[in-house]
Amino acid sequence: MKVLIIGGGGVVGQKLGKALAARGELRGAPISRLVLADMAEAPVFDAPFPVETATCDISDPASMERVIDADTDVIFLLAAVVSAQAEEDFDLGYRINVDGTKNVLERCRALGTKPVVVFTSSIAVFGGEVPQPFTDHSALNPQISYGAQKAIGEILLNDYSRRGFVDGRGFRLPTISIRPGKPNRAASGFMSSIFREPLQGQSANCPVDRDFPHFYLSPRKCVENLIKGAELEQAALGKCPSMTMPGRVWTIGQMVDAMTAVAGPEPASRITWEPQPELAAILEGWRMDIRPEKALQLGLEADESFEDNIRYFLEDDIQR
Amino acid sequence: MKVLIIGGGGVVGQKLGKALAARGELRGAPISRLVLADMAEAPVFDAPFPVETATCDISDPASMERVIDADTDVIFLLAAVVSAQAEEDFDLGYRINVDGTKNVLERCRALGTKPVVVFTSSIAVFGGEVPQPFTDHSALNPQISYGAQKAIGEILLNDYSRRGFVDGRGFRLPTISIRPGKPNRAASGFMSSIFREPLQGQSANCPVDRDFPHFYLSPRKCVENLIKGAELEQAALGKCPSMTMPGRVWTIGQMVDAMTAVAGPEPASRITWEPQPELAAILEGWRMDIRPEKALQLGLEADESFEDNIRYFLEDDIQR
């Protein structure tokens, strides 16, 4: 069982790789090799199997030929240009998020080996004039280019799967919170920074009100769901292998209160509450009544509470 | 007002061009020039303005640079590789239907002139595991590559419109019946041939039962709707400028009875009723409870009855 993580140097890619190392197997077979592919050399870690790195450019078909070979059994496709950046650089977003996804699928098609491809989409596909709740049967009417690019990725994945070129499964990720490390270019970055920084003694700004609702998932549960997603049998996926990954809706205020419940009152006092006009256009389009029923039925899970997310962060990500 | 029809040599393109010639104006301004662009030289016709032809390859960006210029006010993008052909030739379908659509949009973006782009999608975007009825808010879960390609085209059109690169409006065409001329490569081709051929003394085969329902529109109403679609104000389109064009659902049996009501019993007796295994996989995925509410509210229309379609064909398309 040879596994490839494209975007293996990112927050989710690293956590996924370490979770695979802890398991040692996937889809019922021992993992014989894990490749962490990313734009820059990805950090490696101990594992009961060889962990290799590969630098790659997903937008270059030749680069995808080098990292995906006939032995690649499972591909996690996590690489993406995220929301604020894709809105700012239109060409870059389409090149990485659409052309890049197609390059991966085309490489698999050329090989003829039908690998499992786990694709990460985003709840940014939802919005516009489609009424809530957003179910697995709701139209995708994204109001940012990142969402449009992910919606196209889903349709490609579904069609390449239907044609038998890959065994694809796509999951629309909730906002992943609390992300460790540095902020990325996602408009939802504050959903991590208002916890991550205050829990480590620093201040952070929240650009929305306390009653702003958000559909979130911890990195730990996200990784568990990606692995469960990889292990699903293709027949269980039905005619639409792209679906929403489970998450839970809480308001920012409830999440901040959860931080206080776990870590005391100090961190919350370090949050400032200033609107950020450059994010307003993106944030005002967000609606969060999202029902991930298909994925729940397939056994994927949301966090029980945001208190758990705070604890996971303190356990998994604080350097001690 | 300079108008370009890409796919101007096709059945709908020719009828649209002639309808524009009869009107002489579009969006409140006299038409000063009409260009009929297609792979081969398109037939021209009399008009109160110059009608030019251009041969082009929609999959070649340089070719799109030649046919779309800074004076082009309205583009009808009708060119497509249709269903059975796109299913048979995977690469060709993506090259024409996806890359070609993007080439048109990119050319408009490069010009910076924000032309009106009327894009023809298809009801082939609907299906899979999405429950009926299919409304403007239903997920697109196409089960043929043609549908996937058109769904991607819609998302591109919506995103390029939102970004202000084009003033786009997309319409999912019902099955157009009765199409004159030769059969095309659409799986729904029988929906024209079982009327067109028998009304002209020839036999034709119907691969489905009399109780098979179909969502149809006459070429005449389709052209009227495309013109109305081009004339809509952008503000009226809301946050999702792609929608289903009105059509009506009748069973094949009802349509055949309509032919008999208008043209007597002879034509219906020329229909054979043999299943075609090569179409079965496509046809079994079709479901037709489609509700084009947004377009109806915007003033687009379906045919009143299939008797009308028979009469339109006899009036418009039989050579006398």
Side-chain angles (χ1 to χ4, degrees), chain B residues 8 11 34 82 92 117 151 215 218-219 238 294 308 318:
Chain B
V11 167
L34 172 64
V82 293
L92 179 69
V117 176
F215 184 75
S218 65
K294 181 168 177 175
D308 279 351
I318 295 278

Side-chain angles (χ1 to χ4, degrees), chain A residues 87 90-91 94 109 129 131 137-139 141 143-145 148 151 155-156 159-160 162-163 238-240 294, chain B residues 87 90-91 94 109 129 131 137-139 141 143-145 148 151 155-156 159-160 162-163 238-240 294:
Chain A
E87 200 63 13
F90 188 79
D91 289 314
Y94 275 91
R109 176 181 169 222
E129 59 191 58
H137 301 138
S138 291
N141 186 200
Q143 298 300 306
I144 54 174
S145 292
I155 296 170
L156 290 172
D159 198 39
Y160 277 70
R162 188 186 61 78
R163 296 289 287 243
K239 292 186 172 179
C240 187
K294 181 169 177 174
Chain B
E87 200 63 13
F90 188 79
D91 290 314
Y94 274 92
R109 177 182 168 220
E129 59 190 60
H137 301 137
S138 291
N141 186 201
Q143 299 299 308
I144 54 174
S145 292
I155 296 170
L156 290 172
D159 198 39
Y160 276 70
R162 187 187 60 80
R163 297 288 287 241
K239 292 186 171 178
C240 187
K294 181 168 177 175

Side-chain angles (χ1 to χ4, degrees), chain A:
Chain A
M1 174 64 56
K2 187 181 154 193
V3 179
L4 168 66
I5 304 177
I6 302 176
V11 167
V12 174
Q14 284 281 303
K15 286 182 176 285
L16 173 61
K18 290 172 188 170
L20 292 171
R23 290 168 58 95
E25 59 92 36
L26 188 64
R27 290 177 68 85
I31 297 172
S32 56
R33 187 151 67 114
L34 172 64
V35 178
L36 304 171
D38 215 313
M39 289 184 295
E41 195 80 12
V44 293
F45 38 77
D46 288 334
F49 45 73
V51 178
E52 300 171 16
T53 62
T55 55
C56 72
D57 174 1
I58 192 178
S59 71
D60 175 10
S63 183
M64 286 303 99
E65 278 182 37
R66 283 192 295 274
V67 298
I68 305 171
D69 61 33
D71 297 330
T72 308
D73 298 297
V74 176
I75 300 168
F76 291 94
L77 174 44
L78 311 179
V81 166
V82 292
S83 52
Q85 192 176 10
E87 200 63 13
E88 192 179 293
D89 189 336
F90 188 79
D91 289 314
L92 180 68
Y94 275 91
R95 194 161 69 240
I96 300 298
N97 296 339
V98 175
D99 300 346
T101 297
K102 190 152 189 236
N103 288 339
V104 171
L105 297 171
E106 276 292 300
R107 172 58 175 160
C108 296
R109 176 181 169 222
L111 286 168
T113 50
K114 201 181 165 185
V116 169
V117 176
V118 182
F119 171 71
T120 47
S121 180
S122 164
I123 55 169
V125 297
F126 292 124
E129 59 191 58
V130 179
Q132 302 195 80
F134 297 125
T135 73
D136 292 304
H137 301 138
S138 291
L140 307 186
N141 186 200
Q143 298 300 306
I144 54 174
S145 292
Y146 175 66
Q149 292 149 10
K150 286 296 183 184
I152 292 171
E154 290 187 21
I155 296 170
L156 290 172
L157 184 83
N158 293 352
D159 198 39
Y160 277 70
S161 295
R162 188 186 61 78
R163 296 289 287 243
F165 302 141
V166 298
D167 177 356
R169 48 282 311 273
F171 299 100
R172 293 169 201 135
L173 264 51
T175 293
I176 300 303
S177 173
I178 303 164
R179 290 173 60 94
K182 294 181 184 166
N184 69 1
R185 299 290 309 278
S188 57
F190 72 90
M191 270 284 296
S192 287
S193 58
I194 62 169
F195 308 105
R196 182 182 57 226
E197 270 70 273
L199 282 167
Q200 297 180 92
Q202 292 151 24
S203 67
N205 185 58
C206 184
V208 297
D209 293 338
R210 278 183 60 91
D211 61 357
F212 189 90
H214 216 97
F215 184 75
Y216 71 89
L217 188 69
S218 65
R220 192 192 279 192
K221 278 284 176 194
C222 176
V223 162
E224 288 175 14
N225 283 336
L226 290 172
I227 292 171
K228 283 182 184 173
E231 297 203 314
L232 293 170
E233 290 306 313
Q234 189 175 19
L237 297 165
K239 292 186 172 179
C240 187
S242 294
M243 67 195 81
T244 305
M245 184 178 280
R248 197 173 292 279
V249 179
W250 279 31
T251 66
I252 297 291
Q254 288 175 307
M255 297 180 199
V256 171
D257 292 346
M259 175 165 67
T260 298
V262 173
E266 275 289 311
S269 71
R270 299 191 185 106
I271 301 173
T272 56
W273 300 82
E274 299 293 333
Q276 286 172 239
E278 74 277 15
L279 290 181
I282 291 181
L283 296 178
E284 77 186 9
W286 285 359
R287 288 175 296 148
M288 291 288 159
D289 186 358
I290 297 172
R291 311 279 174 91
E293 286 171 22
K294 181 169 177 174
L296 287 169
Q297 282 167 8
L298 290 170
L300 278 64
E301 293 178 355
D303 298 292
E304 285 298 315
S305 74
F306 204 81
E307 282 86 346
D308 279 351
N309 292 39
I310 300 290
R311 281 188 282 266
Y312 296 158
F313 176 70
L314 296 174
E315 289 168 18
D316 296 349
D317 296 309
I318 295 278
Q319 305 291 331
R320 272 160 301 192

Side-chain angles (χ1 to χ4, degrees), chain B residues 4-290:
Chain B
L4 169 65
I5 304 177
I6 302 176
V11 167
V12 174
Q14 284 279 304
K15 285 181 177 287
L16 173 62
K18 290 172 187 169
L20 292 171
R23 289 168 57 96
E25 61 92 37
L26 188 65
R27 291 178 68 84
I31 297 172
S32 56
R33 188 151 66 116
L34 172 64
V35 178
L36 304 172
D38 214 313
M39 289 185 293
E41 195 79 12
V44 293
F45 37 77
D46 289 335
F49 44 75
V51 179
E52 299 171 15
T53 63
T55 56
C56 72
D57 174 2
I58 191 177
S59 71
D60 175 10
S63 182
M64 287 301 99
E65 278 183 38
R66 283 192 296 274
V67 298
I68 305 171
D69 61 33
D71 297 331
T72 308
D73 299 295
V74 176
I75 301 168
F76 292 93
L77 174 44
L78 311 179
V81 165
V82 293
S83 53
Q85 192 177 9
E87 200 63 13
E88 189 179 295
D89 189 336
F90 188 79
D91 290 314
L92 179 69
Y94 274 92
R95 194 161 70 241
I96 300 298
N97 295 339
V98 175
D99 301 345
T101 298
K102 189 150 190 239
N103 288 339
V104 171
L105 296 171
E106 275 293 298
R107 172 57 175 162
C108 296
R109 177 182 168 220
L111 285 168
T113 49
K114 201 181 166 185
V116 169
V117 176
V118 182
F119 171 70
T120 47
S121 180
S122 163
I123 56 169
V125 298
F126 292 124
E129 59 190 60
V130 180
Q132 303 194 80
F134 297 125
T135 73
D136 292 304
H137 301 137
S138 291
L140 307 186
N141 186 201
Q143 299 299 308
I144 54 174
S145 292
Y146 175 66
Q149 292 149 10
K150 286 296 182 182
I152 292 171
E154 289 186 21
I155 296 170
L156 290 172
L157 184 83
N158 293 353
D159 198 39
Y160 276 70
S161 295
R162 187 187 60 80
R163 297 288 287 241
F165 302 141
V166 297
D167 177 355
R169 49 281 312 271
F171 300 100
R172 294 169 200 134
L173 265 51
T175 293
I176 300 302
S177 174
I178 303 165
R179 292 173 59 93
K182 293 182 185 166
N184 70 0
R185 297 292 309 277
S188 57
F190 72 89
M191 269 284 297
S192 287
S193 59
I194 62 169
F195 308 106
R196 182 182 60 225
E197 270 70 275
L199 282 167
Q200 296 179 92
Q202 292 151 23
S203 66
N205 185 59
C206 183
V208 297
D209 293 338
R210 278 184 60 91
D211 60 357
F212 189 89
H214 217 96
F215 184 75
Y216 71 90
L217 188 68
S218 65
R220 191 192 281 190
K221 279 285 177 194
C222 177
V223 163
E224 288 175 14
N225 283 336
L226 289 172
I227 292 172
K228 283 182 184 172
E231 298 202 315
L232 293 170
E233 290 306 314
Q234 189 175 21
L237 298 165
K239 292 186 171 178
C240 187
S242 293
M243 66 195 81
T244 304
M245 183 178 280
R248 196 173 292 280
V249 179
W250 278 33
T251 65
I252 297 293
Q254 288 175 307
M255 297 180 198
V256 171
D257 292 346
M259 175 165 68
T260 298
V262 173
E266 274 288 311
S269 71
R270 298 192 185 105
I271 301 174
T272 57
W273 299 84
E274 300 292 333
Q276 285 171 239
E278 73 278 14
L279 289 181
I282 292 181
L283 295 179
E284 77 187 9
W286 284 359
R287 287 175 297 147
M288 292 287 159
D289 187 358
I290 297 171

